[in-house]
PDB file of all heavy atoms in Angstrom:
ATOM      1  N   ARG A 531     -84.899 -57.918 190.090  1.00  0.00           N
ATOM      2  CA  ARG A 531     -85.140 -56.483 190.171  1.00  0.00           C
ATOM      3  C   ARG A 531     -86.412 -56.068 189.453  1.00  0.00           C
ATOM      4  O   ARG A 531     -87.032 -55.055 189.810  1.00  0.00           O
ATOM      5  CB  ARG A 531     -83.937 -55.739 189.595  1.00  0.00           C
ATOM      6  CG  ARG A 531     -83.910 -54.267 189.962  1.00  0.00           C
ATOM      7  CD  ARG A 531     -82.546 -53.632 189.741  1.00  0.00           C
ATOM      8  NE  ARG A 531     -82.095 -53.761 188.360  1.00  0.00           N
ATOM      9  CZ  ARG A 531     -81.078 -54.513 187.968  1.00  0.00           C
ATOM     10  NH1 ARG A 531     -80.411 -55.227 188.871  1.00  0.00           N
ATOM     11  NH2 ARG A 531     -80.708 -54.562 186.706  1.00  0.00           N
ATOM     12  N   ILE A 532     -86.841 -56.854 188.448  1.00  0.00           N
ATOM     13  CA  ILE A 532     -88.042 -56.458 187.711  1.00  0.00           C
ATOM     14  C   ILE A 532     -89.307 -56.613 188.549  1.00  0.00           C
ATOM     15  O   ILE A 532     -90.363 -56.086 188.177  1.00  0.00           O
ATOM     16  CB  ILE A 532     -88.182 -57.285 186.410  1.00  0.00           C
ATOM     17  CG1 ILE A 532     -88.324 -58.772 186.743  1.00  0.00           C
ATOM     18  CG2 ILE A 532     -87.027 -57.034 185.477  1.00  0.00           C
ATOM     19  CD1 ILE A 532     -88.561 -59.636 185.517  1.00  0.00           C
ATOM     20  N   PHE A 533     -89.210 -57.345 189.692  1.00  0.00           N
ATOM     21  CA  PHE A 533     -90.374 -57.514 190.563  1.00  0.00           C
ATOM     22  C   PHE A 533     -90.453 -56.423 191.629  1.00  0.00           C
ATOM     23  O   PHE A 533     -91.356 -56.447 192.460  1.00  0.00           O
ATOM     24  CB  PHE A 533     -90.344 -58.884 191.237  1.00  0.00           C
ATOM     25  CG  PHE A 533     -90.542 -60.023 190.279  1.00  0.00           C
ATOM     26  CD1 PHE A 533     -89.462 -60.775 189.850  1.00  0.00           C
ATOM     27  CD2 PHE A 533     -91.798 -60.336 189.798  1.00  0.00           C
ATOM     28  CE1 PHE A 533     -89.630 -61.836 188.975  1.00  0.00           C
ATOM     29  CE2 PHE A 533     -91.978 -61.393 188.919  1.00  0.00           C
ATOM     30  CZ  PHE A 533     -90.892 -62.139 188.499  1.00  0.00           C
ATOM     31  N   GLU A 534     -89.504 -55.483 191.645  1.00  0.00           N
ATOM     32  CA  GLU A 534     -89.548 -54.396 192.613  1.00  0.00           C
ATOM     33  C   GLU A 534     -90.486 -53.299 192.115  1.00  0.00           C
ATOM     34  O   GLU A 534     -90.670 -53.141 190.910  1.00  0.00           O
ATOM     35  CB  GLU A 534     -88.143 -53.827 192.833  1.00  0.00           C
ATOM     36  CG  GLU A 534     -87.177 -54.827 193.440  1.00  0.00           C
ATOM     37  CD  GLU A 534     -85.790 -54.243 193.613  1.00  0.00           C
ATOM     38  OE1 GLU A 534     -85.628 -53.034 193.289  1.00  0.00           O
ATOM     39  OE2 GLU A 534     -84.896 -54.970 194.058  1.00  0.00           O
ATOM     40  N   PRO A 535     -91.078 -52.536 193.024  1.00  0.00           N
ATOM     41  CA  PRO A 535     -91.997 -51.465 192.597  1.00  0.00           C
ATOM     42  C   PRO A 535     -91.289 -50.398 191.775  1.00  0.00           C
ATOM     43  O   PRO A 535     -90.113 -50.093 191.997  1.00  0.00           O
ATOM     44  CB  PRO A 535     -92.512 -50.894 193.930  1.00  0.00           C
ATOM     45  CG  PRO A 535     -92.265 -51.966 194.933  1.00  0.00           C
ATOM     46  CD  PRO A 535     -91.044 -52.685 194.487  1.00  0.00           C
ATOM     47  N   PHE A 536     -92.003 -49.863 190.795  1.00  0.00           N
ATOM     48  CA  PHE A 536     -91.546 -48.771 189.948  1.00  0.00           C
ATOM     49  C   PHE A 536     -90.291 -49.134 189.168  1.00  0.00           C
ATOM     50  O   PHE A 536     -89.395 -48.315 188.986  1.00  0.00           O
ATOM     51  CB  PHE A 536     -91.298 -47.491 190.778  1.00  0.00           C
ATOM     52  CG  PHE A 536     -92.489 -47.039 191.557  1.00  0.00           C
ATOM     53  CD1 PHE A 536     -92.565 -47.263 192.934  1.00  0.00           C
ATOM     54  CD2 PHE A 536     -93.552 -46.415 190.926  1.00  0.00           C
ATOM     55  CE1 PHE A 536     -93.658 -46.848 193.660  1.00  0.00           C
ATOM     56  CE2 PHE A 536     -94.654 -45.996 191.658  1.00  0.00           C
ATOM     57  CZ  PHE A 536     -94.716 -46.219 193.013  1.00  0.00           C
ATOM     58  N   GLN A 537     -90.214 -50.397 188.724  1.00  0.00           N
ATOM     59  CA  GLN A 537     -89.092 -50.845 187.906  1.00  0.00           C
ATOM     60  C   GLN A 537     -89.607 -51.198 186.520  1.00  0.00           C
ATOM     61  O   GLN A 537     -90.548 -51.991 186.376  1.00  0.00           O
ATOM     62  CB  GLN A 537     -88.411 -52.070 188.539  1.00  0.00           C
ATOM     63  CG  GLN A 537     -87.754 -51.801 189.873  1.00  0.00           C
ATOM     64  CD  GLN A 537     -86.553 -50.893 189.741  1.00  0.00           C
ATOM     65  OE1 GLN A 537     -85.821 -50.949 188.764  1.00  0.00           O
ATOM     66  NE2 GLN A 537     -86.369 -50.026 190.738  1.00  0.00           N
ATOM     67  N   ARG A 538     -88.999 -50.602 185.489  1.00  0.00           N
ATOM     68  CA  ARG A 538     -89.329 -50.929 184.103  1.00  0.00           C
ATOM     69  C   ARG A 538     -88.039 -51.274 183.396  1.00  0.00           C
ATOM     70  O   ARG A 538     -87.091 -50.476 183.377  1.00  0.00           O
ATOM     71  CB  ARG A 538     -90.029 -49.757 183.413  1.00  0.00           C
ATOM     72  CG  ARG A 538     -91.396 -49.456 183.990  1.00  0.00           C
ATOM     73  CD  ARG A 538     -92.081 -48.350 183.253  1.00  0.00           C
ATOM     74  NE  ARG A 538     -91.332 -47.094 183.371  1.00  0.00           N
ATOM     75  CZ  ARG A 538     -91.784 -45.933 182.914  1.00  0.00           C
ATOM     76  NH1 ARG A 538     -92.955 -45.870 182.317  1.00  0.00           N
ATOM     77  NH2 ARG A 538     -91.074 -44.845 183.051  1.00  0.00           N
ATOM     78  N   HIS A 539     -88.001 -52.472 182.833  1.00  0.00           N
ATOM     79  CA  HIS A 539     -86.752 -52.949 182.263  1.00  0.00           C
ATOM     80  C   HIS A 539     -86.561 -52.425 180.855  1.00  0.00           C
ATOM     81  O   HIS A 539     -87.507 -52.294 180.069  1.00  0.00           O
ATOM     82  CB  HIS A 539     -86.747 -54.489 182.248  1.00  0.00           C
ATOM     83  CG  HIS A 539     -85.485 -55.055 181.636  1.00  0.00           C
ATOM     84  ND1 HIS A 539     -84.258 -54.896 182.220  1.00  0.00           N
ATOM     85  CD2 HIS A 539     -85.286 -55.757 180.486  1.00  0.00           C
ATOM     86  CE1 HIS A 539     -83.348 -55.488 181.478  1.00  0.00           C
ATOM     87  NE2 HIS A 539     -83.935 -56.015 180.412  1.00  0.00           N
ATOM     88  N   GLY A 540     -85.300 -52.168 180.525  1.00  0.00           N
ATOM     89  CA  GLY A 540     -84.930 -51.837 179.158  1.00  0.00           C
ATOM     90  C   GLY A 540     -85.458 -50.486 178.726  1.00  0.00           C
ATOM     91  O   GLY A 540     -85.545 -49.532 179.492  1.00  0.00           O
ATOM     92  N   ASP A 541     -85.820 -50.409 177.440  1.00  0.00           N
ATOM     93  CA  ASP A 541     -86.255 -49.142 176.859  1.00  0.00           C
ATOM     94  C   ASP A 541     -87.773 -49.071 176.754  1.00  0.00           C
ATOM     95  O   ASP A 541     -88.325 -48.697 175.722  1.00  0.00           O
ATOM     96  CB  ASP A 541     -85.624 -48.955 175.473  1.00  0.00           C
ATOM     97  CG  ASP A 541     -85.927 -50.145 174.563  1.00  0.00           C
ATOM     98  OD1 ASP A 541     -86.479 -51.137 175.067  1.00  0.00           O
ATOM     99  OD2 ASP A 541     -85.616 -50.070 173.353  1.00  0.00           O
ATOM    100  N   ALA A 542     -88.457 -49.457 177.800  1.00  0.00           N
ATOM    101  CA  ALA A 542     -89.910 -49.376 177.789  1.00  0.00           C
ATOM    102  C   ALA A 542     -90.331 -47.934 177.636  1.00  0.00           C
ATOM    103  O   ALA A 542     -89.755 -47.030 178.248  1.00  0.00           O
ATOM    104  CB  ALA A 542     -90.495 -49.955 179.077  1.00  0.00           C
ATOM    105  N   PRO A 543     -91.327 -47.682 176.833  1.00  0.00           N
ATOM    106  CA  PRO A 543     -91.765 -46.287 176.636  1.00  0.00           C
ATOM    107  C   PRO A 543     -92.334 -45.708 177.918  1.00  0.00           C
ATOM    108  O   PRO A 543     -92.861 -46.427 178.767  1.00  0.00           O
ATOM    109  CB  PRO A 543     -92.826 -46.406 175.536  1.00  0.00           C
ATOM    110  CG  PRO A 543     -93.320 -47.819 175.623  1.00  0.00           C
ATOM    111  CD  PRO A 543     -92.139 -48.626 176.039  1.00  0.00           C
ATOM    112  N   ARG A 544     -92.260 -44.394 178.038  1.00  0.00           N
ATOM    113  CA  ARG A 544     -92.694 -43.752 179.268  1.00  0.00           C
ATOM    114  C   ARG A 544     -94.185 -43.924 179.500  1.00  0.00           C
ATOM    115  O   ARG A 544     -94.645 -43.930 180.616  1.00  0.00           O
ATOM    116  CB  ARG A 544     -92.374 -42.254 179.202  1.00  0.00           C
ATOM    117  CG  ARG A 544     -90.899 -41.942 179.226  1.00  0.00           C
ATOM    118  CD  ARG A 544     -90.262 -42.334 180.525  1.00  0.00           C
ATOM    119  NE  ARG A 544     -90.806 -41.557 181.629  1.00  0.00           N
ATOM    120  CZ  ARG A 544     -90.487 -41.767 182.895  1.00  0.00           C
ATOM    121  NH1 ARG A 544     -89.692 -42.767 183.222  1.00  0.00           N
ATOM    122  NH2 ARG A 544     -91.002 -41.022 183.848  1.00  0.00           N
ATOM    123  N   GLY A 545     -94.949 -44.104 178.480  1.00  0.00           N
ATOM    124  CA  GLY A 545     -96.383 -44.261 178.656  1.00  0.00           C
ATOM    125  C   GLY A 545     -96.807 -45.681 178.917  1.00  0.00           C
ATOM    126  O   GLY A 545     -97.999 -45.981 178.948  1.00  0.00           O
ATOM    127  N   ALA A 546     -95.831 -46.595 179.096  1.00  0.00           N
ATOM    128  CA  ALA A 546     -96.162 -48.007 179.258  1.00  0.00           C
ATOM    129  C   ALA A 546     -96.584 -48.361 180.667  1.00  0.00           C
ATOM    130  O   ALA A 546     -96.917 -49.498 180.947  1.00  0.00           O
ATOM    131  CB  ALA A 546     -94.960 -48.863 178.855  1.00  0.00           C
ATOM    132  N   GLY A 547     -96.572 -47.450 181.585  1.00  0.00           N
ATOM    133  CA  GLY A 547     -96.978 -47.733 182.957  1.00  0.00           C
ATOM    134  C   GLY A 547     -95.940 -47.265 183.944  1.00  0.00           C
ATOM    135  O   GLY A 547     -94.852 -46.792 183.573  1.00  0.00           O
ATOM    136  N   VAL A 548     -96.255 -47.414 185.234  1.00  0.00           N
ATOM    137  CA  VAL A 548     -95.356 -46.946 186.289  1.00  0.00           C
ATOM    138  C   VAL A 548     -94.477 -48.047 186.837  1.00  0.00           C
ATOM    139  O   VAL A 548     -93.749 -47.836 187.802  1.00  0.00           O
ATOM    140  CB  VAL A 548     -96.179 -46.315 187.440  1.00  0.00           C
ATOM    141  CG1 VAL A 548     -96.872 -45.060 186.967  1.00  0.00           C
ATOM    142  CG2 VAL A 548     -97.170 -47.311 187.996  1.00  0.00           C
ATOM    143  N   GLY A 549     -94.529 -49.227 186.270  1.00  0.00           N
ATOM    144  CA  GLY A 549     -93.663 -50.311 186.722  1.00  0.00           C
ATOM    145  C   GLY A 549     -94.145 -50.995 187.977  1.00  0.00           C
ATOM    146  O   GLY A 549     -93.332 -51.355 188.840  1.00  0.00           O
TER     147      GLY A 549
END
Side-chain angles (χ1 to χ4, degrees):
R531 196 163 58 248
I532 62 176
F533 292 102
E534 296 179 2
F536 304 103
Q537 295 292 325
R538 294 183 297 186
H539 179 66
D541 55 352
R544 292 295 296 175
V548 294

